[in-house]
Amino acid sequence: MHVTEPSAATPTELKSTARAMRYLLFIAGMGGLLYGIDVGIIAGALPYLEATASVAWHLSAQQLSFIVAAVLLGSVLSSLFAGALADLIGRRWAMVLAGALFTLSIPLIALADGYLPLLLGRLLQGISGGLIGVVVPLYLAECLHARQRGRGAALFQLLLTIGLVAAALIGLYQAQSVEAVSTAAQALAPEARADALFAARDHAWRSIFWVCLTPGLIFTVGSLLLAESPRWLARRGQLAQAHQALLRTRPAAEAQAELREIEQALAPETADSRHSGEPLLSRRYVLPFLLACLVLALTQATGINSILAYIVTILNQAGLSGASANMADVGLKVLNAVMTVVAVALVDRKGRKFLLMLGTGGIVLALLSAGLLFRSAEGHQRDVASVLQARVQGDSLSIQLDSATLQALGASASAATSSSNAATVSGTAAAAPAQQLTLAYSYGPFTNVQSLRSDDPALPILRLNRADTVQPDSVIGAFFRRLHLNPFADPADAAGAPLRIEQAHLSSLPSTSHGWQVALAMCLFVASFAVGPGVCVWLALSELMPNRIRSNGMSIALLINQFVSTSIAAVFLPTVGQYGYATLFFYGAGCSLLYFLTAALLLPETRGKTLEEIEAHFAGK
């Protein structure tokens, strides 16, 4: 069949299609921005949420960890059905749904007056993020011309990292506002000062989430004005609508030619049944599938998502003040964006294997450095569990880290004096290092971890009692206990259990220089992840999976990836409370070393190879 050359597009036609293409990329970019905000926003909000919600709502360390992990859990849930949902209702309506869920989550979180609405709001954010992460790249792949797909994918990834930066900047602004209130409140009476700081911190974390409402609305409304994916329309026999969708971003002749290609691709396939009878447990399928699952699991075992979510808390613990920690967080997110651009430029020149080895090697070094730095600080802790246990009265305990308490716990006189002057801003208050008390306690099977700092201007009182620690029974908990699975503690077992101080450690807070050393280690960690696993893991995943199992295989591997990520985030605060930050960083370093060995010894180089060549490699041919 003879095909005539397409006629040249008119200037008006080119201008119209270029404008539509810019709009499409803008909305898709907003999706990437939302995904980045989804992941990064909790880092700046968490210190203020912990300081207020744990007092007002008596949240435990485990519940705070669940609030952080809820976004990752929501992403797991939505990733299971995102593809099927996009096939059912269309790519455009799936994007609208994702934006609507994100927009709905903001007032639910910002107006929350308890644990459940806050957890539900975070879960909705995660479901929205999971949908965006699947549907937006799918929409781009199906709507963009082949010569523009690379730019579209890079734009989504770049805007994702910019979303992380935006979330960090929002957190920095609120941190500076809280510090300004703290300075202004120094002249107030202790009770009034505590009330002012509580109000400022409560306003800070709520405002951090309110700011995110605007990009959510823009993405939701903007998605309504997009055309549906032409390939989704064509698969449903709506060829006229598919042609109209193509005409929005392509000249008429080019749209017609591409529509013919889509029709040909959708024609009944007669071909290649070479492997149709080959068992799924053959070497051709099992080896690449297991390798992809291992790579995806190890990517999250480095702790990347948890470190990004808890980074402000980590740097506070390392010795940086609130605003300094938020400033370091901004720097880390900017570095992540810059190194992502570098990785995109290098991945097709240096190859996946080389960059993965380079990145995982840097991650091992970074996590070992951070672990050793924290070990040096945590090695000087004083065990005061017996002293606090002796002060328990009526199965309850109240502690304020004032000078009298510090002296009773064996702190130096200068440290106790510094605590008594915590509300001042004089130079003498900084002469002695501030003290931190980390306390793990239990009522039967119900446990919690709390901490107090002597440099907190409010010098809050920590009250341990049964009512605030023992959570009421739930329908879910009772159901599992009837099945004898018992994953949830039974309140009946704690009804008569005494208050037991499991661990109590008093230590000096690390210096500011120590905090900046940890920040440098985190910079190396983020840069190494961005240049290695951050980009390469997704390419390796899609390239390793053989054609016959690619769809289901990628879904299982991504599910494992999200499960590992959610699990680490969910146990982060209780783990560092019980065993210290050094333990968690050493664990991440061990997993990263295994990742390096996997990349060096097991992973084939896939750069420049066809999918068939990669598949033949695992078949032993």
Side-chain angles (χ1 to χ4, degrees), residues 30 39 85 150 313 359 434 504 531 593:
M30 287 300 297
V39 174
L85 182 67
T313 302
V531 82
L593 178 60

Side-chain angles (χ1 to χ4, degrees), residues 33-51:
L33 187 76
L34 277 190
Y35 194 94
I37 290 174
D38 229 15
V39 174
I41 199 65
I42 193 63
L46 184 61
Y48 306 119
L49 179 62
E50 185 175 6

Side-chain angles (χ1 to χ4, degrees), residues 50-72:
E50 185 175 6
T52 57
S54 60
V55 174
W57 305 334
H58 309 295
L59 297 188
S60 66
Q62 184 63 78
Q63 288 174 312
L64 285 167
S65 288
F66 283 160
I67 289 170
V68 175
V71 160
L72 303 174

Side-chain angles (χ1 to χ4, degrees), residues 259-509:
L259 183 61
R260 286 197 299 270
E261 292 177 2
I262 293 174
E263 289 183 82
Q264 292 170 2
L266 292 174
E269 297 181 0
T270 59
D272 204 7
S273 55
R274 286 176 300 166
H275 307 304
S276 59
E278 192 170 0
L280 290 176
L281 293 180
S282 65
R283 173 177 174 173
R284 177 189 299 274
Y285 303 120
V286 172
L287 290 182
F289 171 74
L290 293 178
L291 182 58
C293 289
L294 179 62
V295 167
L296 266 291
L298 290 174
T299 296
Q300 290 304 329
T302 62
I304 179 64
N305 281 352
S306 290
I307 288 176
L308 289 179
Y310 291 103
I311 187 63
V312 175
T313 302
I314 292 171
L315 295 177
N316 281 158
Q317 187 71 25
L320 295 185
S321 65
S324 296
N326 283 96
M327 194 177 302
D329 181 34
V330 173
L332 283 168
K333 303 301 171 52
V334 171
L335 178 64
N336 184 41
V338 171
M339 295 308 295
T340 297
V341 175
V342 172
V344 170
L346 291 179
V347 69
D348 283 326
R349 294 173 54 193
K350 297 295 185 180
R352 289 74 158 133
K353 187 184 183 80
F354 171 78
L355 289 184
L356 270 177
M357 291 173 61
L358 178 66
T360 52
I363 290 171
V364 172
L365 181 61
L367 292 180
L368 279 177
S369 300
L372 290 172
L373 285 167
F374 271 107
R375 177 66 72 194
S376 67
E378 293 167 351
H380 297 91
Q381 294 176 334
R382 185 183 298 106
D383 186 356
V384 294
S386 58
V387 178
L388 291 178
Q389 187 70 62
R391 299 177 66 170
V392 172
Q393 294 182 350
D395 287 332
S396 63
L397 177 65
S398 295
I399 312 169
Q400 185 180 36
L401 217 56
D402 53 15
S403 57
T405 301
L406 287 173
Q407 287 180 349
L409 296 178
S412 64
S414 59
T417 303
S418 177
S419 174
S420 67
N421 294 330
T424 72
V425 291
S426 64
T428 58
Q435 301 290 302
Q436 175 166 282
L437 175 66
T438 303
L439 178 64
Y441 61 97
S442 66
Y443 286 92
F446 286 83
T447 62
N448 195 15
V449 178
Q450 297 272 23
S451 64
L452 288 173
R453 291 171 61 139
S454 66
D455 61 346
D456 188 335
L459 280 181
I461 299 175
L462 176 62
R463 293 182 172 87
L464 313 184
N465 57 69
R466 192 187 314 277
D468 295 339
T469 306
V470 179
Q471 303 299 320
D473 201 6
S474 65
V475 175
I476 297 176
F479 171 76
F480 277 102
R481 279 194 296 277
R482 282 196 297 270
L483 298 177
H484 304 289
L485 297 177
N486 199 28
F488 300 95
D490 189 347
D493 295 338
L499 170 59
R500 180 177 176 182
I501 306 300
E502 304 284 353
Q503 290 184 22
H505 294 114
L506 183 70
S507 61
S508 299
L509 283 169

Side-chain angles (χ1 to χ4, degrees), residues 2 17 29 33 69 89 145 166-167 230 239 298 423 449 485 598 614:
H2 176 70
T17 56
L33 187 76
I89 67 175
H145 193 279
L239 296 178
L298 290 174
V449 178
L485 297 177
T598 299
I614 298 169

Side-chain angles (χ1 to χ4, degrees), residues 486-558:
N486 199 28
F488 300 95
D490 189 347
D493 295 338
L499 170 59
R500 180 177 176 182
I501 306 300
E502 304 284 353
Q503 290 184 22
H505 294 114
L506 183 70
S507 61
S508 299
L509 283 169
S511 64
T512 301
S513 62
H514 180 275
W516 285 114
Q517 290 174 35
V518 172
L520 286 176
M522 292 297 95
C523 284
L524 177 59
F525 172 78
V526 167
S528 299
F529 188 90
V531 82
V535 170
C536 297
V537 66
W538 306 113
L539 284 171
L541 173 63
S542 60
E543 292 171 341
L544 286 176
M545 290 292 183
N547 291 327
R548 187 179 173 193
I549 65 167
R550 179 167 289 117
S551 177
N552 291 331
M554 287 181 65
S555 296
I556 295 171
L558 285 170

